[in-house]
Amino acid sequence: MSLKKSFAAASMLAGAMTAMSFMSAGAAQAQGELVMYCAVQEEWCRAMTTAFERETGIKVSMTRKSSGEIYAQVKAEAANPRADIWWGGTGDPHMQAAEEGLTEAYKSPKMSELQDWAVRQWEQSKQRTVGIYSGALGFGYNTDLAQSKKTGDLKCWADLLKPELKDEVQVADPNSSGTAYTLLATIIQIMGEDKGFEYLKALHKNVNQYTKSGAAPAKATALGETTVGIAFMHDVVTMVVDKAPVKVVAPCEGTGYEIGSMSIIKGAKNLDNAKKFYDWALTPDAQKLGAAAKSYQVPSNKNTPVPPQAPKLSDVKLINFDFAKYGSSEERKRLLSKWDNEVKNLP
Ligand code: PLP
């Protein structure tokens, strides 16, 4: 081969290599990124982020906040959305965001694999949010502290008003926490609004702190910082699995439950990646990461094994929770403002 020919061949090869490297840079770029707001436990949020990045090459920027805080942030950013996907947390703020047009309708090919309660959430929100897990509300109590304070067995919501529990009950603030909003809606559905607010005012006398996050009271109970923590039963189970002296209670009067949800943000800058995450998050492989991160909810895909530690919903006296009513924008705003005025500001 002449020098000229070999130079030409070399330059063709170089050109081809440059084109290939452009292609691979382009391919890497096309995988792009995803901004996720995550409302479950930090450990589970991190496990989802890492697994999705590994599976797809998409870089995830994740922020963990409580359910009500994410709703407030999504609303504040509506004119210029920062996040693409809102994964986890109780369904009520997802429903409120759907009604206010802050989230996007989407039908995943995975819908046919989901439990009825997950599909109902999607239908009620006009396809703007979908159920990803479910779990019942309850409370946990530290058996060592209960013994030293002579509280007796605690089995019912009514037991939490015992004078022996003065300053010994911890629960989150329903403005920031979906767990605590589920309590507010549950008590009203069991007792009626007037008696329900009387109960919450009486409970206030025993509350030592309204935390920001819904899972914090379960942790505080395990650490012996409070005798009782009101939380989702699966959050209390996590403490029992870690060998804390804590008893999980499904209240005798009955209790509410959550449909943990997922929504795509309206105006998402990485819409295709948000849809990829959404489809993946509904698969059994993704849903199994919950139990691996010690979160023992009931998963929404029928083919995801229910963790053996998950409280059996069939053994709990569940109320017929009205998700549409208590997730509606008007009702949620009204109840939160009434709780602020009539309960939180009491001495
Ligand atoms: N963590 C777990 C394990 C949950 O099940 C839920 C409810 O969806 C949350 C966190 C939500 O927390 P918060 O009450 O802080 O909004």
Side-chain angles (χ1 to χ4, degrees):
M1 196 189 289
S2 74
L3 204 60
K4 207 169 158 188
K5 272 194 182 154
S6 66
F7 181 75
S11 83
M12 270 170 67
L13 184 65
M17 284 172 69
T18 310
M20 274 166 64
S21 69
F22 261 115
M23 270 166 61
S24 61
Q29 259 172 15
Q31 286 154 28
E33 56 176 14
L34 177 76
V35 180
M36 164 162 78
Y37 290 166
C38 183
V40 299
Q41 305 284 40
E42 180 87 33
E43 296 82 342
W44 192 8
C45 294
R46 274 195 263 112
M48 287 292 282
T49 304
T50 313
F52 184 68
E53 284 184 342
R54 202 184 311 120
E55 182 104 354
T56 60
I58 295 167
K59 175 96 192 70
V60 181
S61 159
M62 184 275 286
T63 305
R64 196 273 154 194
K65 285 192 175 192
S66 283
S67 314
E69 291 182 295
I70 295 184
Y71 161 77
Q73 186 162 356
V74 167
K75 194 170 170 82
E77 293 170 351
N80 184 19
R82 196 181 85 78
D84 303 305
I85 191 104
W86 169 7
W87 183 78
T90 58
D92 48 286
H94 285 269
M95 294 286 281
Q96 184 174 2
E99 187 188 328
E100 294 174 2
L102 300 171
T103 46
E104 192 71 62
Y106 177 57
K107 182 172 184 183
S108 167
K110 292 275 150 201
M111 288 309 294
S112 60
E113 296 177 29
L114 303 187
Q115 302 277 4
D116 293 349
W117 46 263
V119 177
R120 210 172 311 121
Q121 181 84 341
W122 178 76
E123 287 166 351
Q124 282 183 340
S125 67
K126 302 203 171 65
Q127 312 189 348
R128 290 194 165 100
T129 194
V130 67
I132 52 176
Y133 57 79
S134 182
L137 187 73
F139 59 85
Y141 67 94
N142 184 303
T143 46
D144 294 346
L145 287 179
Q147 202 170 18
S148 71
K149 297 194 183 301
K150 302 191 170 34
T151 65
D153 265 3
L154 303 173
K155 294 183 176 162
C156 304
W157 293 118
D159 292 335
L160 303 190
L161 304 184
K162 288 185 176 186
E164 293 84 355
L165 288 174
K166 172 124 189 71
D167 291 331
E168 287 299 329
V169 177
Q170 199 171 106
V171 62
D173 182 321
N175 292 285
S176 57
S177 155
T179 309
Y181 181 77
T182 305
L183 173 70
L184 174 56
T186 293
I187 293 297
I188 291 173
Q189 287 173 89
I190 293 174
M191 303 178 190
E193 185 159 334
D194 291 347
K195 288 214 172 102
F197 268 89
E198 286 315 310
Y199 173 86
L200 293 167
K201 285 182 210 170
L203 182 68
H204 179 84
K205 297 198 180 109
N206 283 353
V207 169
N208 51 42
Q209 197 189 147
Y210 292 109
T211 58
K212 199 149 78 159
S213 134
K219 288 183 189 149
T221 307
L223 293 171
E225 293 168 1
T226 182
T227 305
V228 175
I230 300 178
F232 282 114
M233 288 171 64
H234 51 257
D235 282 347
V236 185
V237 168
T238 307
M239 305 301 135
V240 176
V241 168
D242 283 342
K243 309 247 178 317
V246 170
K247 196 162 173 182
V248 189
V249 181
C252 73
E253 299 92 338
T255 193
Y257 63 103
E258 64 163 332
I259 296 176
S261 300
M262 163 168 69
S263 311
I264 295 176
I265 306 297
K266 175 79 136 251
K269 300 200 171 61
N270 302 295
L271 183 60
D272 287 348
N273 289 347
K275 289 179 180 170
K276 266 186 207 152
F277 182 90
Y278 191 111
D279 295 342
W280 172 79
L282 295 177
T283 63
D285 277 353
Q287 294 199 342
K288 273 191 231 160
L289 295 171
K294 294 192 191 163
S295 284
Y296 302 117
Q297 287 92 332
V298 176
S300 68
N301 188 310
K302 290 178 198 158
N303 304 315
T304 313
V306 177
Q309 300 90 340
K312 300 224 170 355
L313 296 185
S314 51
D315 296 348
V316 178
K317 192 171 156 193
L318 288 181
I319 62 169
N320 187 14
F321 202 108
D322 189 342
F323 291 103
K325 175 170 179 188
Y326 292 94
S328 81
S329 179
E330 195 183 332
E331 190 65 354
R332 196 164 173 278
K333 274 193 225 156
R334 185 183 74 80
L335 289 176
L336 287 173
S337 123
K338 184 165 175 176
W339 183 85
D340 280 345
N341 293 331
E342 296 189 13
V343 180
K344 192 182 186 178
N345 294 332
L346 284 175

